[in-house]
Amino acid sequence: KGYESKQVGSLLQKRELADMIRKDMRDQAASEISEEAYKKYYRAHSDKYMIHPDQRRVVQIIVKPKKAAAKLIKQFVEEKITVKAFSKAARSFSLDPAAKETSGRTAWFDLEGLGAAGHVLPMKLAEAAFKIKKKGDLHRSPLPSSKGWHVLMLLSTREEKWTPYKKVRYSIVAKFVSDRQQVLIEKMLENMKKNHPVSVYMNLLEKISPVPCL
């Protein structure tokens, strides 16, 4: 490029100085932020780190009319029907076209009826499912939908789950430190501008530059 060695050395020194300043600012930023601040952010943004909320799975039988569903519930309660027997009944006479393959068993869903692939159950049915206490228990009344009347049995439950704090701490720390470092650098530059005012002479710049500088 035609630079002299002294110029190259000066440029390297300036580059090293900038790197050193950035490192000092990063260290200062890290020292200003407490571990509790990271944990507080993690707790406040739990939805960001949530793997899944409270969820349920049910076995369902869909029939018409409502009286038929009520009769089934009464029969199943009296017989103390098991999950296995309930699933067999779903394969035999549920109006759900998928029942023969799924045995009436749904995918996991949350309180709004949403699962990994979208809606699993209408919201009102999902809310009813969340009121069933134990695996193998029945909802004691028929539940309506556009498909017919649903008889629900609770298949399984799982509590909400988050990515552990220790696995995401690094990314939280990096975000906090980077944001604070930028604030410190900007503050330093503002102070430098106040202490060392810069004047721009456009007439001189235009003489040495073939294109506009700004």
Side-chain angles (χ1 to χ4, degrees):
K1 293 286 186 179
Y3 292 121
E4 294 181 2
S5 61
K6 289 183 179 179
Q7 290 176 300
V8 174
S10 177
L11 289 171
L12 288 173
Q13 287 175 352
K14 290 178 182 178
R15 182 63 178 270
E16 289 172 2
L17 178 61
D19 288 342
M20 184 180 71
I21 291 172
R22 279 192 290 269
K23 182 181 181 301
D24 287 344
M25 293 298 182
R26 186 170 63 249
D27 292 344
Q28 181 179 338
S31 69
E32 291 178 359
I33 307 167
S34 67
E35 185 69 20
E36 183 55 34
Y38 302 139
K39 291 180 179 178
K40 184 177 180 181
Y41 178 88
Y42 173 79
R43 292 192 295 268
H45 297 80
S46 59
D47 56 333
K48 182 177 179 179
Y49 303 108
M50 182 175 283
I51 298 173
H52 62 74
D54 284 340
Q55 292 183 321
R56 301 288 186 272
R57 287 185 71 198
V58 297
V59 191
Q60 63 174 343
I61 297 175
I62 307 173
V63 294
K64 291 180 180 179
K66 181 179 180 180
K67 287 183 178 180
K71 185 178 179 180
L72 280 177
I73 292 173
K74 183 179 179 181
Q75 177 186 334
F76 291 157
V77 170
E78 290 174 352
E79 295 176 354
K80 296 182 180 179
I81 192 168
T82 63
V83 173
K84 184 176 180 180
F86 191 96
S87 299
K88 184 177 180 181
R91 289 195 301 271
S92 299
F93 51 81
S94 177
L95 296 177
D96 182 2
K100 293 189 184 301
E101 295 181 4
T102 64
S103 300
R105 302 184 179 205
T106 69
W108 290 104
F109 59 86
D110 62 16
L111 188 56
E112 295 182 350
L114 290 170
H119 268 98
V120 177
L121 286 178
M123 186 171 177
K124 288 186 178 180
L125 270 67
E127 290 174 347
F130 269 73
K131 292 177 182 177
I132 306 173
K133 300 301 182 183
K134 296 187 300 182
K135 175 181 176 180
D137 282 356
L138 290 160
H139 193 278
R140 295 303 180 96
S141 58
L143 300 162
S145 79
S146 59
K147 296 179 180 179
W149 290 88
H150 296 243
V151 179
L152 300 184
M153 173 181 278
L154 184 61
L155 179 61
S156 49
T157 67
R158 62 183 181 188
E159 296 180 353
E160 59 190 4
K161 185 177 181 181
W162 295 275
T163 303
Y165 170 72
K166 63 181 180 180
K167 287 191 175 182
V168 296
R169 182 185 179 278
Y170 177 82
S171 63
I172 295 174
V173 171
K175 169 182 167 47
F176 268 67
V177 171
S178 176
D179 291 349
R180 181 58 183 161
Q181 178 191 28
Q182 188 59 35
V183 170
L184 291 172
I185 289 174
E186 289 174 0
K187 186 176 180 180
M188 180 194 71
L189 290 174
E190 287 178 6
N191 290 333
M192 289 176 67
K193 288 176 183 178
K194 289 178 182 178
N195 296 328
H196 305 281
V198 176
S199 299
V200 179
Y201 297 92
M202 291 302 300
N203 59 327
L204 295 178
L205 288 173
E206 289 170 357
K207 289 180 180 180
I208 63 173
S209 175
V211 295
C213 295
L214 296 177

